[in-house]
C-alpha cells in the first residue's frame, strides 16, 4: 500500500492547477501512445501509467514497445499496460493488426512518433520524415473505423495537424472536434519563465499562448498575466525565449536530442485534461485546432473541451500593441506552414 500511495502522491505533485470544474463521474479510459519507445514516448507513457485518469495504457512503435510495456507494467498503478509492434510483413498483404490492437477501444490517442531535432535543424527539416510517419499512422484510424480524440505532438505541429486532417477528410471521416495539436509545452515554458522572473510559484501562473507551435508562430500573451511587470527589453527577451525554447534545449543537449522530457510532461497534461473533459469536467486549455478566429485554417488558442472533444473555441480578445506586432509577423509564416501540410496530402 505504501508504494501505491507514493505513486499517487508523485503524480499529484506533477499536476498543475487547471481551469475546470470537478466531476465525480468515475473514469474508465484507455490511452494509446503511438511512438511509445522514443525519446518523448517513453517518459510520456510513464506519466500516463502513473495517472489516476488512465485505466489502460497501450504502447505502439516500430521497435521496442514490448519491452517498454513490460517495464511499465511493474509500476504499481491502477492501469494495465500492453505493447504492440507492427504486424510482420506477409503475403497476401493484410492490415496492420499490431496498430489495430493498440488503437482498439482507445479514448485518446497521442502521437509523439517521429525523429527528433538536432542542432542546426529547424522544424521544417523534420517535415519529410515526420509527415510520412503521421500520415501512415492516421490512415490506421479510418482503416480500422476508429473515431477517437487524436493529440498530435510530432513536429512540425503546424504542418502535421493539417496532414492528419487531410488524410481523414479524404476518407470522409474527419471530425474537427477530435483532432488537436499539443501546444501545451509553450504554455509550460511561458508559465515557468514568468514565475522565475517574478519569484512566483509556477502553479499560480497561467499564460495564454496563441498561434502555432514553431518559432515566431508562438505568441505568449504576457499582457494578460495579472501582476506581471516587464521592461521593454525584458518583455522582448521572455517572448523570444518562449518562442525558441526548443532551440535552447537542443543546443544544451549538444546533439543528444531535443526537448523530450518537458514535451512528455506537456503531452501528459494535455492528455489528462482531455480525459477529464470526457468524463464531465469543464476543461479549458490551449490547443492547435481548426479555427475561424483568424485567416489561418488552424490556430492555437484557449479551447473548451468536453465529452466529445473540442466544444468551443474561445474569442481571441484584445492584444497589446506589442503582441499585435508579433501577430502580424506570425500570420504569413503560420499560413505557409499549414499549407505545406495540406499540400503534402493533396499532392
Amino acid at each position: 500500500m505504501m508504494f501505491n500511495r507514493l505513486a499517487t502522491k508523485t503524480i499529484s505533485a506533477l499536476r498543475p492547477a487547471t481551469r475546470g470544474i470537478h466531476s465525480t463521474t468515475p473514469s474508465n479510459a484507455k490511452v494509446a501512445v503511438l511512438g511509445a519507445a522514443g525519446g518523448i514516448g517513453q517518459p510520456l507513457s510513464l506519466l500516463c501509467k502513473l495517472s489516476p485518469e488512465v485505466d489502460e495504457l497501450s504502447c505502439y512503435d516500430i521497435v521496442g514497445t514490448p519491452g517498454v510495456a513490460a517495464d511499465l507494467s511493474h509500476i504499481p498503478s491502477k492501469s494495465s499496460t500492453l505493447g504492440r509492434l507492427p504486424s510482420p510483413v506477409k503475403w497476401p498483404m493484410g492490415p496492420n493488426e499490431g496498430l489495430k490492437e493498440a488503437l482498439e477501444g482507445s479514448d485518446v490517442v497521442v502521437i509523439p512518433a517521429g525523429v527528433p531535432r538536432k542542432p542546426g535543424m529547424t522544424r521544417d527539416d523534420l517535415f519529410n520524415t515526420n509527415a510520412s510517419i503521421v500520415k501512415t499512422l492516421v490512415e490506421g484510424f479510418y482503416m480500422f473505423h476508429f473515431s477517437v480524440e487524436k493529440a498530435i505532438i510530432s513536429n512540425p505541429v503546424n504542418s502535421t495537424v493539417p496532414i492528419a486532417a487531410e488524410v481523414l477528410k479524404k476518407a470522409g471521416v474527419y471530425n474537427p472536434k477530435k483532432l488537436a495539436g499539443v501546444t501545451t509545452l509553450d504554455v509550460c515554458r511561458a508559465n515557468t519563465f514568468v514565475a522565475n522572473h517574478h519569484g512566483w510559484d509556477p502553479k499560480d501562473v497561467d499564460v495564454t499562448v496563441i498561434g502555432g507551435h514553431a518559432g515566431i508562430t508562438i505568441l505568449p500573451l504576457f499582457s494578460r498575466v495579472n501582476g506581471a511587470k516587464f521592461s521593454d527589453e525584458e518583455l522582448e527577451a521572455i517572448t523570444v525565449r518562449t518562442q525558441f525554447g526548443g532551440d535552447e534545449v537542443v543546443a544544451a543537449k549538444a546533439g543528444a536530442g531535443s526537448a523530450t522530457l518537458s514535451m512528455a510532461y506537456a503531452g501528459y497534461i494535455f492528455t489528462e485534461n482531455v480525459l477529464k473533459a470526457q468524463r464531465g469536467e469543464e476543461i479549458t486549455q490551449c490547443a492547435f485546432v481548426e479555427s475561424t478566429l483568424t485567416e489561418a485554417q488552424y490556430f492555437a488558442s484557449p479551447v473548451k473541451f468536453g465529452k466529445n472533444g473540442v466544444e468551443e473555441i474561445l474569442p481571441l480578445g484584445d492584444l497589446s500593441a506589442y503582441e499585435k506586432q508579433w501577430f502580424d509577423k506570425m500570420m504569413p509564416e503560420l499560413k505557409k506552414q499549414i499549407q505545406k501540410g495540406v499540400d503534402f496530402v493533396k499532392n
Side-chain angles (χ1 to χ4, degrees):
M1 291 298 291
M2 179 181 69
F3 292 108
N4 285 329
R5 287 197 300 271
L6 178 60
T8 301
K9 288 179 180 178
T10 299
I11 204 69
S12 296
L14 289 171
R15 191 181 299 113
T18 56
R19 288 175 281 184
I21 298 176
H22 182 66
S23 168
T24 56
T25 305
S27 65
N28 183 21
K30 176 180 176 179
V31 171
V33 179
L34 309 186
I40 296 171
Q42 289 201 45
L44 172 60
S45 298
L46 171 62
L47 291 168
C48 288
K49 179 69 171 76
L50 291 170
S51 173
E53 303 295 329
V54 179
D55 296 280
E56 183 178 354
L57 175 63
S58 175
C59 300
Y60 177 86
D61 212 324
I62 57 173
V63 294
T65 38
V68 171
D71 198 358
L72 291 170
S73 72
H74 294 182
I75 296 171
S77 66
K78 74 170 186 174
S79 65
S80 61
T81 312
L82 64 89
R84 293 292 183 266
L85 295 169
S87 300
V89 177
K90 59 186 178 181
W91 187 261
M93 299 290 287
N96 184 345
E97 294 296 332
L99 180 58
K100 179 181 179 181
E101 291 175 12
L103 293 173
E104 201 161 22
S106 295
D107 297 282
V108 181
V109 176
V110 194
I111 307 179
V115 298
R117 268 203 303 162
K118 295 179 180 179
M121 291 179 67
T122 66
R123 284 177 172 82
D124 258 2
D125 295 329
L126 301 178
F127 180 85
N128 288 333
T129 299
N130 288 358
S132 297
I133 291 171
V134 170
K135 179 177 180 290
T136 299
L137 289 172
V138 173
E139 285 171 346
F141 290 99
Y142 71 79
M143 186 181 301
F144 301 123
H145 309 290
F146 293 139
S147 177
V148 59
E149 289 192 57
K150 295 162 279 292
I152 309 292
I153 291 175
S154 307
N155 274 321
V157 166
N158 293 352
S159 301
T160 54
V161 169
I163 286 170
E166 291 302 317
V167 168
L168 296 169
K169 285 176 185 178
K170 269 193 169 183
V173 294
Y174 175 59
N175 183 350
K177 294 180 179 293
K178 293 185 178 292
L179 177 65
V182 178
T183 60
T184 311
L185 180 53
D186 303 322
V187 177
C188 289
R189 285 175 173 148
N191 290 348
T192 300
F193 301 158
V194 169
N196 289 347
H197 177 81
H198 286 89
W200 296 342
D201 187 332
K203 71 178 179 60
D204 298 326
V205 183
D206 189 9
V207 181
T208 296
V209 182
I210 64 170
H213 182 60
I216 65 167
T217 71
I218 299 167
L219 178 52
L221 305 183
F222 292 120
S223 68
R224 300 184 185 181
V225 180
N226 291 332
K229 296 180 180 180
F230 305 98
S231 67
D232 291 346
E233 293 77 13
E234 289 169 341
L235 180 58
E236 178 76 5
I238 197 171
T239 298
V240 172
R241 190 182 181 200
T242 302
Q243 292 172 328
F244 295 95
D247 293 356
E248 182 179 309
V249 176
V250 170
K253 288 190 174 181
S258 57
T260 53
L261 301 177
S262 54
M263 186 64 249
Y265 171 77
Y268 143 72
I269 292 297
F270 183 89
T271 302
E272 194 174 65
N273 280 339
V274 170
L275 291 173
K276 289 177 180 178
Q278 287 181 354
R279 63 176 175 80
E281 290 193 31
E282 294 182 11
I283 295 292
T284 300
Q285 61 181 343
C286 292
F288 187 68
V289 298
E290 185 173 317
S291 172
T292 57
L293 288 181
T294 70
E295 296 175 356
Q297 186 177 359
Y298 302 88
F299 196 78
S301 63
V303 174
K304 281 188 179 179
F305 284 81
K307 292 183 178 181
N308 297 309
V310 173
E311 286 197 343
E312 182 184 359
I313 298 171
L314 301 182
L316 197 54
D318 296 330
L319 304 179
S320 70
Y322 177 79
E323 291 160 355
K324 185 66 168 61
Q325 290 176 356
W326 275 113
F327 181 88
D328 292 342
K329 192 185 300 184
M330 164 229 297
M331 289 304 296
E333 182 62 27
L334 178 59
K335 290 191 289 185
K336 176 184 173 183
Q337 293 177 19
I338 291 169
Q339 191 60 46
K340 187 172 184 178
V342 172
D343 291 343
F344 178 79
V345 178
K346 286 189 173 180
N347 299 330

